[in-house]
């Protein structure tokens, strides 16, 4: 405290500075934002990569010349692509090719792209809307899309939930009382005063109340149903505090400190999650969408040209900052990888899969419970072959048995089962989940070989 006061009183103290200018070093790499679109947009002259970086823009060449050459055809093709999302309630994207659906889409596209009033016949080029819609749909279904159903598991009938009684593990709790007197010093006038607070007045009838009143604020705890358990757990915490603090006054000082009491309540709530139970008459799997629009990945990258994904990277520590391209069968023109293992795996799937991509957040809406949180799980790769669709998750060998990795795996396997059941009813392919150790991934491996070894059933 005295050192701070002395420093503040120095004539050249930084406290007396009026302005402070901070500038990044000249050698710092420039970071740019990159928005990636599916490659299918190139069919009607759209940009698959949007960024302010000249280096990235110039290094991303369109995968192929637009199929639709004229501006009028491109306008119709774009409208058709945007209408696909209105039919996600169908069992799969293949149903877009049905005769009735094609007629409906062609009619909607024709209405959207009809010539504006006042445009002369013959000046605006006539387009065979039905033919363009058919071509666009065929390419979407067969080449530039992987069907990812929207799956929700909902309970049937009345649902009851609660927590079983248990003994707290308090070994890590060593909260100490803090003095509540505050010393104030005016740096301009050097005047000093003290704010004092009484620490031995118990405002609650029971010390456990300080913890219980915080616990009942959690959304998953009902005081009416869990009162006995809450006081039982809070009592264990109070007894633990009494076991190492000198007297009841120090115990109260800890409990009356709002920050410390909240920390103790959070600690209890976290342990309660392992003893949570839920009963329902049954559960129903609801598939609300047979396929979903591909989420556009938005990322930041260093301002340098896109790297060829087949070429090794000299400085592997910078991989997460790079953009990679040159893919043959990926649904997106450029991607980011978090490790060199992912880059090598992309070589395998680009060679062996019919089509593949790296899902952006929110693509699956697949969640798993971790502690008190419902976290979203996004697999690293999705690849479709002739006979199956794979979720692929490469992991460091020493992380394979990590509890959170195993929880993610369990959630993914259940999702794949539901997706496979749905596809089996509609002539689709089964989904398979692969959890692959990093040291098993090499360019000379095949997707079929990895699947044979690492499918989780």
């Amino acid at each position: 405290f005295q050192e701070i006061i002395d420093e503040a009183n120095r004539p050249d103290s930084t406290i007396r500075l009026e302005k402070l200018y901070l500038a990044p070093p000249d050698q710092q790499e420039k970071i740019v934002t990159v928005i990636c679109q599916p490659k299918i947009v190139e069919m009607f002259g759209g940009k698959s990569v949007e960024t302010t970086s000249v280096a990235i823009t110039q290094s991303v060449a369109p995968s192929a010349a637009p199929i639709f050459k004229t501006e009028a055809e491109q306008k119709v093709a774009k409208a058709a692509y945007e209408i696909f999302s209105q039919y996600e309630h169908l069992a799969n994207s293949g149903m877009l090719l049905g005769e009735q659906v094609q007629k409906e889409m062609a009619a909607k596209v024709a209405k959207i792209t009809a010539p504006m009033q006042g445009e002369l016949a013959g000046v605006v080029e006539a387009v065979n809307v039905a033919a363009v819609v058919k071509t666009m749909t065929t390419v979407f279904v067969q080449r530039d899309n992987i069907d990812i159903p929207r799956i929700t598991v909902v309970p049937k009938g009345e649902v009851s939930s609660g927590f079983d009684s248990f003994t707290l593990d308090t070994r890590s709790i060593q909260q100490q009382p803090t003095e509540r007197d505050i010393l104030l010093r005016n740096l301009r006038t050097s005047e000093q005063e003290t704010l004092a607070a009484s620490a031995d007045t118990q405002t609650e009838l029971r010390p456990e109340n300080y913890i219980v009143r915080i616990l009942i604020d959690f959304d998953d705890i009902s005081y009416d149903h869990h009162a006995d358990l809450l006081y039982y757990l809070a009592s264990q915490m109070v007894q633990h505090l009494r076991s190492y603090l000198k007297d009841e006054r120090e115990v109260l000082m800890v409990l009356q400190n709002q920050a410390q009491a909240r920390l103790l309540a959070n600690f209890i709530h976290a342990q309660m999650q392992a003893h949570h139970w839920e009963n329902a008459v049954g559960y129903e799997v609801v598939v609300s969408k047979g396929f979903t629009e591909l989420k556009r990945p938005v990322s930041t990258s260093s301002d340098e040209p896109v790297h060829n994904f087949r070429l090794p990277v000299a400085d592997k520590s910078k991989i997460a900052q790079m953009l990679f391209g040159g893919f043959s069968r990926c649904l997106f023109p450029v991607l980011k990888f978090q490790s060199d293992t992912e880059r090598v795996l992309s070589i395998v799937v680009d060679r062996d899969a019919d089509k593949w991509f790296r899902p952006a957040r929110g693509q699956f809406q697949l969640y798993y419970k971790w502690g008190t949180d419902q976290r979203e799980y996004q697999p690293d790769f999705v690849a479709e072959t002739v006979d199956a669709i794979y979720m692929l998750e490469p992991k460091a060998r020493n992380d394979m048995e990590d509890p959170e990795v195993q929880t993610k795996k369990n959630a993914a396997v259940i999702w794949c089962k539901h997706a496979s059941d749905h596809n089996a009813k509609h002539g689709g392919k089964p989904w398979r989940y692969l959890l692959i150790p990093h040291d098993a991934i090499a360019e000379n491996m095949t997707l079929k070989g990895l699947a044979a070894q690492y499918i989780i059933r």
Side-chain angles (χ1 to χ4, degrees):
F1 183 84
Q2 188 58 48
E3 289 175 357
I4 293 174
I5 299 299
D6 293 341
E7 176 67 22
N9 288 331
R10 287 177 46 235
D12 59 344
S13 170
T14 55
I15 291 177
R16 302 177 186 277
L17 291 177
E18 294 184 357
K19 295 181 180 179
L20 180 62
Y21 294 95
L22 298 176
D26 293 338
Q27 65 271 22
Q28 185 175 2
E29 291 184 345
K30 182 180 177 182
I31 302 299
V32 295
T33 300
V34 180
I35 303 174
C36 194
Q37 302 277 359
K39 285 197 297 187
I40 193 173
V41 302
E42 297 173 358
M43 287 184 59
F44 46 81
K47 290 184 178 180
S48 56
V49 176
E50 297 178 11
T51 179
T52 56
S53 168
V54 176
I56 291 175
T57 302
Q58 292 180 342
S59 61
V60 179
S63 57
I67 292 179
F68 304 104
K69 305 297 183 181
T70 68
E71 183 178 343
E73 286 183 338
Q74 291 177 0
K75 182 179 179 181
V76 171
K78 181 180 180 182
Y81 178 65
E82 292 173 349
I83 277 179
F84 292 158
S85 61
Q86 298 180 19
Y87 292 85
E88 291 180 349
H89 61 277
L90 297 176
N92 54 54
S93 63
M95 298 182 72
L96 292 172
L97 292 168
E99 183 178 351
Q100 185 59 38
V101 176
Q102 283 289 297
K103 287 181 180 179
E104 288 181 11
M105 290 198 298
K108 291 180 180 180
V109 171
K111 185 176 181 179
I112 294 172
T113 59
M116 299 291 290
Q117 185 176 3
E119 293 180 336
L120 299 176
V123 175
V124 178
E125 182 182 356
V127 176
N128 187 336
V129 174
V132 172
V133 171
K134 180 68 174 292
T135 301
M136 195 69 192
T137 308
T138 301
V139 173
F140 175 75
V141 172
Q142 297 180 357
R143 192 191 72 184
D144 287 322
N145 177 67
I146 296 177
D147 287 355
I148 298 176
R150 181 61 46 80
I151 298 173
T152 308
V153 180
V154 295
K156 295 189 296 186
E158 184 178 351
V159 179
S160 59
S161 62
F163 300 90
D164 291 324
S165 181
F166 65 98
T167 301
L168 277 176
D169 181 358
T170 57
R171 289 173 295 179
S172 62
I173 295 296
Q174 290 293 325
Q175 297 297 303
Q176 297 295 325
T178 57
E179 292 296 338
R180 301 198 293 176
D181 292 348
I182 301 176
L183 180 64
L184 304 178
R185 178 73 173 266
N186 190 308
L187 297 180
R188 184 174 60 83
T189 64
S190 296
E191 293 179 355
Q192 185 169 300
E193 58 182 321
T194 301
L195 294 180
S198 174
D200 55 359
T201 301
Q202 182 170 341
T203 59
E204 294 284 356
L205 294 177
R206 300 171 59 180
E208 291 85 355
N209 288 349
Y210 292 104
I211 297 175
V212 171
R213 69 183 182 187
I214 298 176
L215 283 171
I216 61 178
D217 286 337
F218 287 100
D219 293 338
D220 57 345
I221 294 178
S222 166
Y223 179 81
D224 293 338
H225 294 91
H226 303 121
D228 292 342
L229 174 62
L230 297 182
Y231 275 102
Y232 174 60
L233 297 175
S235 176
Q236 292 182 54
M237 183 61 71
V238 171
Q239 292 302 319
H240 175 69
L241 295 176
R242 287 170 174 162
S243 71
Y244 68 86
L245 294 175
K246 291 187 298 184
D247 53 42
E248 193 70 12
R249 177 177 177 274
E250 290 192 343
V251 172
L252 285 177
M253 289 176 68
V254 171
L255 295 174
Q256 289 174 350
N257 184 301
Q258 183 68 16
Q260 290 184 307
R262 184 163 297 279
L263 185 147
L264 298 177
N266 288 340
F267 179 84
I268 292 174
H269 183 248
Q271 290 198 24
M272 289 175 67
Q273 300 310 303
H275 302 274
H276 180 265
W277 55 265
E278 180 179 282
N279 291 328
V281 175
Y283 292 89
E284 181 181 6
V285 178
V286 177
V287 180
S288 56
K289 296 181 179 181
F291 63 99
T292 50
E293 182 180 9
L294 293 180
K295 299 290 184 182
R296 277 64 169 165
V298 179
S299 59
T300 57
S301 173
S302 56
D303 188 14
E304 59 181 57
V306 174
H307 296 256
N308 188 321
F309 80 113
R310 296 185 181 280
L311 301 180
V313 177
D315 187 356
K316 292 181 173 57
S317 65
K318 293 185 176 181
I319 283 181
Q321 304 169 22
M322 299 177 177
L323 275 179
F324 292 85
F327 312 109
S328 299
R329 301 176 182 178
C330 183
L331 302 185
F332 291 89
V334 296
L335 294 173
K336 290 190 71 174
F337 300 121
Q338 297 303 313
S339 66
D340 195 55
T341 298
E342 293 180 355
R343 181 192 67 82
V344 175
L345 183 56
S346 74
I347 296 175
V348 176
V349 295
D350 197 66
R351 181 186 64 230
D352 295 349
D354 293 335
K355 43 191 173 181
W356 66 278
F357 74 111
R358 281 173 61 80
R361 185 171 296 278
Q363 184 69 66
F364 279 84
Q365 296 196 5
L366 168 59
Y367 297 92
Y368 66 99
K369 191 169 185 180
W370 185 247
T372 60
D373 300 328
Q374 285 285 342
R375 298 184 180 180
E376 182 182 353
Y377 173 45
Q378 209 60 47
D380 284 337
F381 293 84
V382 173
E384 182 173 346
T385 64
V386 174
D387 52 9
I389 305 174
Y390 297 100
M391 272 190 194
L392 300 99
E393 183 73 37
K395 272 291 178 241
R397 173 73 72 172
N398 57 1
D399 289 337
M400 293 286 284
E401 299 302 323
D402 178 83
E404 187 169 9
V405 171
Q406 290 295 307
T407 302
K408 290 179 181 179
K409 177 203 73 175
N410 294 336
V413 169
I414 293 173
W415 189 97
C416 286
K417 179 185 182 304
H418 294 324
S420 296
D421 292 343
H422 169 76
N423 285 356
K425 296 176 183 177
H426 303 283
K429 301 173 183 177
W431 279 78
R432 300 288 183 256
Y433 182 74
L434 275 64
L435 182 60
I436 312 170
H438 77 286
D439 51 8
I441 298 173
E443 288 189 41
N444 63 342
M445 295 297 294
T446 65
L447 184 54
K448 186 176 181 180
L450 291 172
Q453 284 187 273
Y454 298 108
I455 280 182
I456 308 296
R457 300 184 186 277

